[in-house]
């Protein structure tokens, strides 16, 4: 299994257990997504974009915001806050 395939599997597992993810885990997954996209772009010869609409920029912003979440946050609407 390639590193990219293994990472995609990890993302799917995380998506199925989103209510259990900590802000750190969310940020780490988003940062790894950025690294994976950049690596795949390099491998295929696709130039990176520094435009405001580049998904990598959006993922970096989301990662920074995730780091700012409080430990008892909840992504699932209507769910009780988890114990940290």
């Amino acid at each position: 299994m390639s590193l990219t395939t293994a990472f995609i599997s990890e993302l799917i597992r995380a998506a199925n257990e989103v209510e259990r993810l900590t802000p750190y885990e969310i940020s780490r997954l988003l940062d790894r997504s950025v690294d994976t996209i950049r690596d795949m772009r390099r491998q295929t010869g696709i130039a990176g974009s520094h435009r405001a609409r580049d998904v990598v920029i959006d993922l970096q912003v989301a990662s920074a915001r995730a780091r700012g979440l409080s430990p008892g946050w909840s992504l699932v609407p209507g769910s009780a806050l988890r114990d940290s």
Side-chain angles (χ1 to χ4, degrees):
M1 181 183 302
S2 74
L3 291 176
T4 301
T5 305
F7 179 55
I8 290 169
S9 295
E10 185 177 348
L11 285 174
I12 291 169
R13 279 191 300 277
N16 288 328
E17 298 181 345
V18 70
E19 66 280 354
R20 302 172 113 188
L21 296 175
T22 66
Y24 171 79
E25 291 168 322
I26 293 168
S27 179
R28 184 181 63 83
L29 287 168
L30 291 167
D31 289 341
R32 286 183 60 204
S33 296
V34 168
D35 292 341
T36 301
I37 291 167
R38 285 184 174 154
D39 187 46
M40 292 178 77
R41 283 178 176 175
R42 272 192 295 276
Q43 290 176 12
T44 58
I46 297 172
S49 173
H50 298 289
R51 300 174 319 185
R53 295 305 315 153
D54 187 350
V55 69
V56 169
I57 294 170
D58 295 337
L59 290 170
Q60 289 172 321
V61 169
S63 176
R65 288 181 179 166
R67 286 189 295 270
L69 292 172
S70 63
W73 73 281
S74 177
L75 182 63
V76 181
S79 66
L81 294 178
R82 296 176 288 122
D83 293 332
S84 317

